[in-house]
Amino acid sequence: MDAPVFKGIFTQQAAIPEEGITAALAVLRSGRIHRYNTLGDEPSETALLEKDYAEWQGAEFCLACASGGQAMQIALRAAGVSPGDTVLTNAFTLAPVPGAIAAVGGQSVLVEITEDLVIDLADLERKQAQSGARYLLLSHMRGHLADMDRLTDMAARLGLIVIEDCAHTMGATWAGTRSGNFGLAGCFSTQTYKHINSGEGGLLTSNDPDFMARAIILSGSYMLYDRHGAAPAEQAFEAPRLDMPNMSARMDNLRAAILRPQLASLESSILAWNLRYDAVARHLAGCTALVLPTRPPQGRFVGSSIQFRIPQTDGPRAEHLLERWKCRGVEVKWFGRPTATGFTSTHHDWGYLDRQDLPRTDRILSGLFDMRLPLSFSVEDCDVIGRILVEEAVWTESARSSPTRPSAPAGPGPE
Ligand SMILES: *Cc1c(COP(=O)(O)O)cnc(C)c1O
């Protein structure tokens, strides 16, 4: 049988919609790129994006920021985190999360994860008791949602202020509630590899007017906070207006202009991602070597990437399999590498944190693989990818149980 090689590019995103390109050109022609550079009562594209996003998210307030990382830093500071304060966060996340905690002088205490790649609630309770932490920056890493009913109950019981990192859950819901609406604030990223793409960018949402007034001042609003699209009433700014430092983390009109049409079509992008996820997952579900995390029925996920585990793998075997997948054009990332590679890093690479003992997370990460599913891939492409993932994994497994194990990729597998 043939052994197809996949030709797609894993870092190729979908093009910006024509409407966004037209809107971006209008901003460029006007020269008014800064969000506060408006004429008369004209709302800026940034203010309009804030209004659109608040509406879409079902949150009262929204602030557009320079990045998702900046949204988290502002959120932590506006929530009251002071230098030296402990902030709990799940150990499986992206570097900007512990980075945001460090930026506000916080001390990250990392919480173990489960086999389903979500925060381990028992360990959360334990670490909260040990540290006395008042803050949880909950990262829905790669779109995996914890049991948000149990989590919010626990947070209320422990007096934890929850800020959600929704970089991979823009558009996801738990029991009908949008991710980002469970705690004090939701932080979103519009960086190129997330669900809407402006190169860099972030959005912060909340229903708390005092929190949002502080956040808006922190973002660098000067005294122009009345030019925001989804801000609290004037009186909320009276207390914080002179107390909050200007952190200069604003979004600009060019980025907002290309984001608004993408937001308008986000729902169809989500459906498209989930078709692609399912096309890959179908193959993996029939393969005992590759274990997909369980996604509970209460969650509505956005399948913009896929993760799977090979529970009993070791370094050489994982490297061998990665190489075989790569030979067939399928780029897979692995969280078990001893050092950070590209975007993929673990808590062992975050040398500015106190060393933390996370045996369960380490065991899970050592067998955890990860792949983007950009919308530039067709569903048929994803079907081919799923097939290649399984064929090579099965081939490697059967080679392992035979007496002579190949030490290097030897071309396409037997089937
Ligand atoms: C991308 C990302 C962020 C924020 O990233 P920015 O590049 O700062 O926008 C936060 N958390 C996770 C899990 C991410 O993947």
Side-chain angles (χ1 to χ4, degrees):
M1 255 172 80
D2 63 321
V5 173
F6 181 64
K7 300 275 198 261
I9 302 167
F10 281 79
T11 49
Q12 178 61 57
Q13 302 309 113
I16 302 302
E18 280 307 316
E19 238 186 304
I21 294 172
T22 305
L25 287 174
V27 170
L28 289 173
R29 291 198 172 103
S30 78
R32 295 193 295 280
I33 302 175
H34 193 283
R35 69 166 297 164
Y36 300 129
N37 187 194
T38 49
L39 281 183
D41 289 340
E42 148 196 272
S44 70
E45 285 282 346
T46 311
L48 291 171
L49 173 68
E50 288 169 335
K51 184 169 169 292
D52 292 353
Y53 196 77
E55 221 163 80
W56 191 85
Q57 175 68 22
E60 239 175 293
F61 311 118
C62 176
L63 168 67
C65 308
S67 70
Q70 285 287 353
M72 290 187 288
Q73 292 175 35
I74 289 170
L76 290 166
R77 205 181 286 262
V81 176
S82 305
D85 283 353
T86 302
V87 180
L88 297 160
T89 191
N90 34 314
F92 177 46
T93 186
L94 199 77
V97 175
I101 296 170
V104 301
Q107 301 289 329
S108 289
V109 168
L110 304 175
V111 180
E112 296 264 33
I113 57 161
T114 71
E115 267 76 11
D116 293 327
L117 310 181
V118 299
I119 195 163
D120 177 338
L121 293 179
D123 195 50
L124 174 63
E125 182 149 21
R126 202 160 34 237
K127 299 262 165 77
Q128 194 281 329
Q130 284 164 6
S131 64
R134 292 178 48 229
Y135 301 95
L136 168 63
L137 179 53
L138 176 66
S139 183
H140 303 299
M141 177 68 167
R142 293 294 189 266
H144 300 280
L145 293 166
D147 182 330
M148 293 305 293
D149 298 313
R150 284 188 58 209
L151 187 138
T152 43
D153 284 352
M154 181 179 284
R157 180 161 53 78
L158 303 176
L160 272 175
I161 295 169
V162 179
I163 294 166
E164 295 177 73
D165 165 23
C166 305
H168 302 149
T169 54
M170 180 185 278
T173 61
W174 177 269
T177 299
R178 274 207 203 285
S179 161
N181 294 349
F182 287 91
L184 173 63
C187 305
F188 303 83
S189 170
T190 64
Q191 190 236 76
T192 288
Y193 302 108
K194 312 302 163 88
H195 297 173
I196 52 177
N197 170 14
S198 60
E200 303 281 0
L203 295 160
L204 173 62
T205 58
S206 180
N207 291 329
D208 183 318
D210 298 317
F211 166 87
M212 190 49 82
R214 291 193 291 276
I216 289 172
I217 308 264
L218 283 164
S219 76
S221 60
Y222 302 97
M223 293 300 150
L224 302 169
Y225 38 79
D226 62 330
R227 295 195 204 169
H228 278 245
E234 181 82 31
Q235 74 216 42
F237 292 90
E238 273 164 29
R241 65 197 291 268
L242 303 177
D243 288 350
M244 289 288 124
N246 176 330
M247 312 301 290
S248 239
R250 296 166 300 274
M251 184 176 277
D252 59 75
N253 291 334
L254 192 52
R255 296 194 232 176
I258 66 174
L259 287 172
R260 291 180 62 220
Q262 294 179 65
L263 180 60
S265 56
L266 180 53
E267 195 53 44
S268 61
S269 302
I270 292 171
L271 297 175
W273 261 310
N274 289 352
L275 284 176
R276 283 154 184 76
Y277 184 97
D278 289 344
V280 178
R282 238 193 322 275
H283 288 273
L284 271 57
C287 170
T288 50
L290 307 178
V291 183
L292 283 166
T294 312
R295 299 195 125 171
Q298 298 96 314
R300 190 245 188 169
F301 300 92
V302 184
S304 52
S305 68
I306 191 163
Q307 292 71 44
F308 53 89
R309 295 186 301 115
I310 305 182
Q312 304 300 334
T313 196
D314 58 28
R317 275 157 64 202
E319 300 272 12
H320 175 72
L321 191 48
L322 288 167
E323 194 51 45
R324 295 197 59 92
W325 282 326
K326 197 168 152 205
C327 285
R328 292 185 64 185
V330 175
E331 245 178 70
V332 180
K333 307 214 180 94
W334 174 43
F335 282 95
R337 270 189 209 293
T339 52
T341 313
F343 288 97
T344 309
S345 67
T346 72
H347 68 101
H348 297 288
D349 304 306
W350 307 330
Y352 51 88
L353 299 187
D354 293 337
R355 297 292 79 200
Q356 304 185 32
D357 203 22
L358 296 151
R360 187 174 186 195
T361 299
D362 287 347
R363 179 171 50 73
I364 293 163
L365 294 182
S366 71
L368 181 62
F369 299 84
D370 175 35
M371 209 173 66
R372 281 193 190 114
L373 296 173
L375 289 181
S376 55
F377 291 176
S378 66
V379 175
E380 293 69 34
D381 287 342
C382 293
D383 187 59
V384 173
I385 291 168
R387 185 177 149 193
I388 291 172
L389 288 174
V390 169
E391 281 177 359
E392 293 300 329
V394 168
W395 192 88
T396 303
E397 271 307 296
S398 59
R400 205 165 68 85
S401 47
S402 81
T404 48
R405 204 183 122 217
S407 56
E415 69 268 52

